[in-house]
């Protein structure tokens, strides 16, 4: 056989052989890889509270590809890669904190575009919050720095209200400067980032003029988003009644509703002032924003008793409220429940209501197809104390705690390891798919043979 003929024969044989191996492999793959179950993650037997869909009962919730796939009275475990028993717990949409300050990390002292703000991920998932709205730390001049520095780098969904002050919430020198309040420029920036900028904020103004409110409404109208007002110093030239009945539009938001700093309370009845009653009739929303100096029991108790409850529960989180009376979103909810809010109302005010206020109806619900942001909450019973800005206390017997938080379909917080297997339990055959339902590393397939330095997270 000459050399050329020999090579031709060899190649033909090799090709035939390879084809045979390939077809065997293909056939065996078909047997070895049955179709995956319909869902990635199943929360079974929890009490679902989904205000938007009028659900307040024990249901199963199935998640697939980061979305809510099904909510039903019985979904079998075999339909999911991973099942978690949520019996005795409440399952709600991921919570939305409508008023926080998270423009942290610029290094600027005494500034909410700096040291007064907190990093969002440290304060959110641990209390069931998956979305926060930064309330005016940045304005049109520094929003893009805020976005690059915090919004784009956080695991929490961070949305923003632009301050009507172009330089944002950087202290009196900036916030009292009427020349830096440009509704037109603010609207243009808001329209450039419609997925992220969800409102306009005016705050801390001390002057007699209506300029900040008027410019904020110009911006909000052009960009078709709401205005949130922290009404600053109480001034007779711009009364609360005029703000809520003339200046703001239906759909705008009055925050710090129980502060008592701007005649929110009727001095005789101790219930809501005429301005509040008329404002609510017109469709202005009222937000808690309890903060460091914006929540008094002497207002909240009689006003809630009178039925004037918040449309949305928010913290006004910053470096002093985080350790003061406010603490966090679930503490705000628990304190309001201690004076009469039902759990169902509290959940609505942290989910569907704030989503509606910022025109983000895609958030704050468990509708099939919605993003799978979920909070699994425990209502603990015991003796608890809740304080206000004057350090007075209300006692309560219930407190909400987050057991599990899911963002975009994946577990991001698990207080008691309810998703984890015991360390010495047999391996879960589905563990290789764990990245479909959790952000936490699964146990390696052969724990004994693993080089620990190669797999340990830093
Ligand atoms: Zn604030």
């Amino acid at each position: 056989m000459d050399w050329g003929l020999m090579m031709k024969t060899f190649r033909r044989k090799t090709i035939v052989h390879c084809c045979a191996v390939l077809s065997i492999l293909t056939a065996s793959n078909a047997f070895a890889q049955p179709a995956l179950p319909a869902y990635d993650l199943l929360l079974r037997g929890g009490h679902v509270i989904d205000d938007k869909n009028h659900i307040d009962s024990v249901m199963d919730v199935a998640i697939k590809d980061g979305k809510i796939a099904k909510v039903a009275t019985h979904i079998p475990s075999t339909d999911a890669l991973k099942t978690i028993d949520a019996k005795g717990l409440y399952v709600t949409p991921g919570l939305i904190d409508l008023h926080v300050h998270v423009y942290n990390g610029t290094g600027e002292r005494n500034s909410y575009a700096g040291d007064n703000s907190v990093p969002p991920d440290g304060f959110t998932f641990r209390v069931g919050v998956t979305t926060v709205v930064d309330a005016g730390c940045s304005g049109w001049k520094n929003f893009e720095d805020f976005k690059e520095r915090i919004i784009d780098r956080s695991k929490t969904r961070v949305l923003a209200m632009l301050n009507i002050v172009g330089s944002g919430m950087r202290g009196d020198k900036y916030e009292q400067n009427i020349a830096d309040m440009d509704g037109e420029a603010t609207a243009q920036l808001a329209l450039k980032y419609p997925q992220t900028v969800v409102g306009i904020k005016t705050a801390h103004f001390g002057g007699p003029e209506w300029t900040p409110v008027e410019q904020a409404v110009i911006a909000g109208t052009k960009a078709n988003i709401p205005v949130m007002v922290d009404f600053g110093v109480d001034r007779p030239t711009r009364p609360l009644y005029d703000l809520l009945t003339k200046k703001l539009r239906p759909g705008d938001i009055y925050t710090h509703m129980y502060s008592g700093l701007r005649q929110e309370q009727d001095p005789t009845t101790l219930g809501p002032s005429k301005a509040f009653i008329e404002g609510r009739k017109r469709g202005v929303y009222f937000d808690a924003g309890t903060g460091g100096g914006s929540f008094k029991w002497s207002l909240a108790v009689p006003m809630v008793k009178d039925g004037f409850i918040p449309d949305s529960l928010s913290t006004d989180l910053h470096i002093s409220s985080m350790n003061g009376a406010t603490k966090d979103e679930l503490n705000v909810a628990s304190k309001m429940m201690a004076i009469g809010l039902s759990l169902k109302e509290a959940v609505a005010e942290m989910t569907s209501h704030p989503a509606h206020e910022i025109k983000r109806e895609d958030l704050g619900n468990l509708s099939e197809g919605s993003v799978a942001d979920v909070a699994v909450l425990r209502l603990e019973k015991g003796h608890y104390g809740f304080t206000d800005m004057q350090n007075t206390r209300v006692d309560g017997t219930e407190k909400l705690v987050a057991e599990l938080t899911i963002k975009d379909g994946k577990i991001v917080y698990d207080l008691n390891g309810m998703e984890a297997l015991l360390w010495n339990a047999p391996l879960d055959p589905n563990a290789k798919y764990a990245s479909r339902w959790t952000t936490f590393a699964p146990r390696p397939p052969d724990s004994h043979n693993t080089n620990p330095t190669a797999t340990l997270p830093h």
Side-chain angles (χ1 to χ4, degrees):
M1 195 185 284
D2 70 34
W3 180 249
L5 185 65
M6 197 174 81
M7 278 310 289
K8 268 185 203 159
T9 313
F10 174 75
R11 280 199 203 110
R12 199 179 61 233
K13 278 187 177 163
T14 312
I15 289 164
V16 169
H17 181 71
C18 287
C19 288
V21 169
L22 257 180
S23 58
I24 289 165
L25 273 176
T26 314
S28 67
N29 268 3
F31 288 110
Q33 289 195 349
L36 290 178
Y39 310 117
D40 297 329
L41 178 61
L42 176 61
L43 300 171
R44 285 202 70 190
H47 185 127
V48 174
I49 302 180
D50 177 4
D51 175 69
K52 186 175 185 179
N53 292 302
H54 313 291
I55 298 174
D56 181 18
S57 58
V58 172
M59 300 283 254
D60 297 343
V61 177
I63 293 167
K64 169 79 168 174
D65 294 333
K67 300 273 168 33
I68 301 293
K70 192 174 182 183
V71 179
T73 47
H74 180 72
I75 303 173
S77 294
T78 46
D79 284 0
L81 283 168
K82 177 76 186 181
T83 298
I84 294 177
D85 181 7
K87 217 169 287 164
L89 302 174
Y90 291 94
V91 177
T92 75
L95 307 180
I96 301 169
D97 189 344
L98 192 67
H99 182 162
V100 301
H101 296 281
V102 294
Y103 187 3
N104 171 274
T106 64
E108 187 165 75
R109 286 174 195 239
N110 303 316
S111 166
Y112 288 91
D115 288 3
N116 292 354
S117 275
V118 297
D121 293 346
F123 298 83
T124 50
F125 298 153
R126 58 187 51 232
V127 286
V129 172
T130 49
T131 300
V132 294
V133 181
D134 181 90
C137 287
S138 71
W140 69 271
K141 290 175 178 170
N142 52 357
F143 169 78
E144 284 171 334
D145 178 67
F146 173 40
K147 182 174 183 295
E148 203 284 319
R149 199 182 288 274
I150 301 290
I151 294 174
D152 294 347
R153 301 188 201 184
S154 298
K155 294 192 170 71
T156 309
R157 182 179 294 98
V158 180
L159 306 175
M161 294 184 182
L162 290 179
N163 203 306
I164 193 57
V165 178
S167 302
M169 206 175 272
R170 298 175 62 190
D172 266 354
K173 195 175 112 191
Y174 299 93
E175 295 179 72
Q176 307 305 325
N177 179 11
I178 282 180
D180 195 21
M181 299 173 187
D182 183 342
E184 189 61 47
T186 305
Q188 288 315 314
L189 201 280
L191 287 166
K192 190 175 168 189
Y193 296 101
Q195 290 304 306
T196 311
V197 176
V198 296
I200 308 293
K201 178 84 185 291
T202 163
H204 305 163
F205 189 63
E209 301 91 344
W210 281 108
T211 312
V213 170
E214 286 168 351
Q215 290 299 314
V217 169
I218 287 171
T221 304
K222 290 225 150 132
N224 192 28
I225 49 180
V227 169
M228 178 187 270
V229 177
D230 160 332
F231 204 31
V233 177
D234 188 26
R235 288 276 195 169
T237 52
R238 43 176 180 82
L240 183 65
Y241 187 84
D242 289 5
L243 176 78
L244 298 176
T245 61
K246 297 187 184 104
K247 293 288 183 179
L248 291 183
R249 305 159 299 166
D252 287 335
I253 305 160
Y254 186 84
T255 191
H256 307 314
M257 64 184 288
Y258 299 125
S259 74
L261 300 174
R262 305 151 196 113
Q263 310 190 31
E264 288 89 350
Q265 187 174 35
D266 186 295
T268 316
T269 66
L270 301 184
S273 63
K274 197 157 176 275
F276 262 38
I277 293 168
E278 293 300 317
R280 178 158 273 178
K281 267 191 213 157
R282 280 185 70 231
V284 172
Y285 295 121
F286 292 85
D287 176 62
T290 57
S294 297
F295 180 83
K296 285 194 198 103
W297 286 126
S298 58
L299 271 81
V301 171
M303 283 169 72
V304 167
K305 204 170 167 195
D306 225 24
F308 206 93
I309 66 173
D311 291 297
S312 47
L313 291 177
S314 69
T315 56
D316 185 13
L317 195 70
H318 51 66
I319 52 161
S320 66
S321 64
M322 68 182 185
N323 288 326
T326 287
K327 295 179 179 71
D328 58 52
E329 181 74 345
L330 287 183
N331 191 60
V332 171
S334 302
K335 68 164 62 176
M336 293 306 292
M337 286 165 61
I339 60 167
L341 241 69
S342 69
L343 173 63
K344 203 177 151 190
E345 286 167 332
V347 169
E349 293 174 15
M350 299 187 286
T351 55
S352 61
H353 287 196
H356 179 72
E357 288 177 46
I358 55 172
K359 304 188 183 193
R360 285 296 299 263
E361 306 285 357
D362 55 318
L363 300 173
N365 63 72
L366 299 176
S367 305
E368 289 172 14
S370 280
V371 62
D373 287 3
V374 182
V376 179
L377 308 174
R378 184 184 299 280
L379 188 59
E380 290 190 337
K381 308 277 181 183
H383 298 289
Y384 307 102
F386 303 103
T387 54
D388 70 355
M389 63 186 271
Q390 298 172 319
N391 206 27
T392 67
R393 197 180 79 232
V394 159
D395 290 328
T397 57
E398 292 179 331
K399 194 173 171 69
L400 283 167
V401 174
E403 284 287 353
L404 195 74
T405 305
I406 297 168
K407 164 98 191 318
D408 293 311
K410 293 183 184 182
I411 294 166
V412 287
Y413 180 76
D414 186 355
L415 181 64
N416 287 298
M418 62 192 292
E419 183 257 346
L421 297 178
L422 284 177
W423 71 275
N424 55 357
L427 275 174
D428 174 2
N430 287 337
K432 57 180 177 289
Y433 301 114
S435 65
R436 298 182 75 103
W437 71 77
T438 182
T439 59
F440 300 124
R443 185 167 61 171
D446 185 348
S447 318
H448 303 295
N449 255 346
T450 308
N451 173 5
T453 54
T455 53
L456 276 179
H458 296 285

